[in-house]
Amino acid sequence: MVGNAGPGNSISNGAHLLRTALREWGYRAEIYAETVSPASSWGTVLPFRRYRPSSGDLLIVHYSHASALTDYVRTLDVPVLLVYHNITPPHFFTGVNPELVQITTRGYEQLSALCARTVCAVAVSEFNRHDLAAAGYSRIEVIPVIMPERLGQVSPDPQVCARLASGVNLLSVGRVAPNKYFEDVIKVFFYYHQIEPQARLFLVGGVSNTQPYVAWLRDFVTWLGLDGCVTFTGHISDAALSAYYRGADTFLCMSEHEGFGIPLVESMRFDVPLIAYAAAAVPETLGGAGVLATEKHFPVIAELVHLLQTDENLRARIIARQQARARDFAPERTLARFRALLEKIAAELQ
């Protein structure tokens, strides 16, 4: 069960890959969702209320927020394997979106309420394990996000490729929300732009639900005199995203709350050297790869960006380490760990 089944959603992309694997392993498997995008090309995805328990079922629930779907799960007499993708703490949305404050607050409450129904909880990071333990879960396994490698096989959008063909391109990917601290990415770019005036910054991610924050960021860009150098792309296609990764020279992440960090892995897969702030699950996702900043000293980080552009040996070493780390998240490795856990749970439930 997932909240939204459609393209561009990392949770549902992983669920699709898992369903395919489950069927290959001999299980009966379906995807049930609260909302289904008309652009979905996955085959059959069923509305979650169509689900009816059968003998021997195990319900895999991907959890990232409170919803009618999880309310429904609580009414079912069926064992649950909960996959916890993290909830952004409510305080990040105070003054930005009161509805998101309520949704995330309820998300933590509902997380605790699902504990009694859950036979095992999977945290996608050690960082997320702490949330589950605080919510009352005792049996917790840590297995990374199941990340398909399809994005690297998508043909890049030629218009985006042409836009990125010259100059130095800095990239940051993620929904434009306060926990991502895009203002700090912009501050790094401000200092780097003084070193390399032809540089550009691309902030790739959806801008819905956080409009006051987005408007403030745009005003901040103007105040710094960076209009025309900073682009907010909004939600984009996989073809465009592939092009942005392929055309990026450095990836920046100044986020202070990440339950895992999918764009970090994607940038490593595309051989984009990255610099990230050491917060939440970012250090464990990187696992020693990339460049980890323990302080937000923006002029120094800008110098690091310049160093990655000018020191070819350093850049090559960083990319090589990232390539090795990215292989740790190969879907076949993650699926093998998931399969071992499922077989253990299935044996216990017989």
Side-chain angles (χ1 to χ4, degrees), residues 6-340:
N9 183 297
S10 58
I11 294 176
S12 52
N13 286 343
H16 177 227
L17 196 63
L18 179 59
R19 179 180 66 177
T20 301
L22 285 166
R23 290 174 173 176
E24 290 175 353
W25 301 337
Y27 293 98
R28 175 176 59 87
E30 300 292 348
I31 295 176
Y32 294 85
E34 187 167 8
T35 59
V36 181
S37 167
S40 176
S41 59
W42 294 354
T44 304
V45 176
L46 302 171
F48 72 92
R49 294 190 187 277
R50 291 269 304 276
Y51 172 72
R52 297 292 183 273
S54 298
S55 176
D57 277 4
L58 176 68
L59 196 58
I60 301 172
V61 178
H62 293 266
Y63 190 88
S64 60
H65 59 84
S67 67
L69 183 150
T70 44
D71 280 332
Y72 181 64
V73 170
R74 290 174 59 195
T75 70
L76 302 172
D77 184 19
V78 60
V80 169
L81 172 61
L82 187 82
V83 181
Y84 179 59
H85 294 268
N86 197 265
I87 302 166
T88 304
H91 72 265
F92 282 111
F93 301 111
T94 301
V96 174
N97 188 324
E99 184 180 357
L100 286 179
V101 172
Q102 295 177 354
I103 289 173
T104 50
T105 299
R106 187 164 169 258
Y108 284 108
E109 294 169 353
Q110 220 174 52
L111 181 63
S112 296
L114 285 168
C115 186
R117 184 70 67 201
T118 302
V119 295
C120 182
V122 171
V124 300
S125 64
E126 286 288 346
F127 177 78
N128 281 2
R129 179 200 286 271
H130 299 300
D131 278 3
L132 289 172
Y137 292 83
S138 56
R139 185 179 182 182
I140 306 169
E141 300 288 338
V142 177
I143 301 177
V145 173
I146 300 170
M147 287 187 60
E149 295 178 323
R150 191 182 69 85
L151 187 61
Q153 301 159 3
V154 172
S155 297
D157 184 319
Q159 291 184 336
V160 176
C161 290
R163 193 179 309 147
L164 303 178
S166 61
V168 179
N169 302 307
L170 275 57
L171 178 67
S172 195
V173 177
R175 65 172 180 152
V176 185
N179 59 296
K180 304 292 187 180
Y181 278 83
F182 280 106
E183 61 267 37
D184 290 347
V185 174
I186 294 168
K187 291 172 188 176
V188 173
F189 179 71
F190 170 77
Y191 287 103
Y192 180 67
H193 193 254
Q194 297 178 49
I195 301 171
E196 177 49 73
Q198 301 304 312
R200 295 168 297 179
L201 171 63
F202 296 92
L203 303 176
V204 176
V207 296
S208 61
N209 300 324
T210 56
Q211 285 303 323
Y213 176 63
V214 177
W216 178 78
L217 287 176
R218 292 184 185 277
D219 288 343
F220 186 47
V221 168
T222 299
W223 183 74
L224 291 173
L226 295 174
D227 284 333
C229 304
V230 178
T231 300
F232 294 83
T233 70
H235 183 74
I236 60 175
S237 67
D238 282 350
L241 182 58
S242 174
Y244 276 110
Y245 276 121
R246 293 173 189 275
D249 293 291
T250 302
F251 186 95
L252 291 175
C253 173
M254 294 290 111
S255 178
E256 297 195 8
H257 188 88
E258 296 291 329
F260 179 71
I262 286 174
L264 300 175
V265 178
E266 289 176 338
S267 65
M268 290 191 286
R269 286 177 172 176
F270 278 93
D271 289 343
V272 184
L274 65 88
I275 302 172
Y277 180 59
V282 170
E284 67 173 287
T285 302
L286 292 183
V291 179
L292 201 61
T294 57
E295 295 182 18
K296 287 189 176 182
H297 196 331
F298 304 115
V300 172
I301 297 173
E303 290 286 356
L304 283 171
V305 174
H306 181 60
L307 198 59
L308 287 173
Q309 286 300 116
T310 55
D311 188 329
E312 293 184 4
N313 289 332
L314 174 63
R315 186 180 182 89
R317 292 200 304 272
I318 294 293
I319 289 175
R321 181 65 189 91
Q322 290 182 179
Q323 289 172 337
R325 179 56 174 164
R327 288 193 288 271
D328 292 338
F329 300 110
E332 59 271 19
R333 293 191 181 188
T334 309
L335 286 168
R337 294 174 63 182
F338 212 96
R339 181 179 187 177

Side-chain angles (χ1 to χ4, degrees), residues 335-347:
L335 286 168
R337 294 174 63 182
F338 212 96
R339 181 179 187 177
L341 177 61
L342 282 174
E343 290 177 348
K344 184 177 181 180
I345 293 173

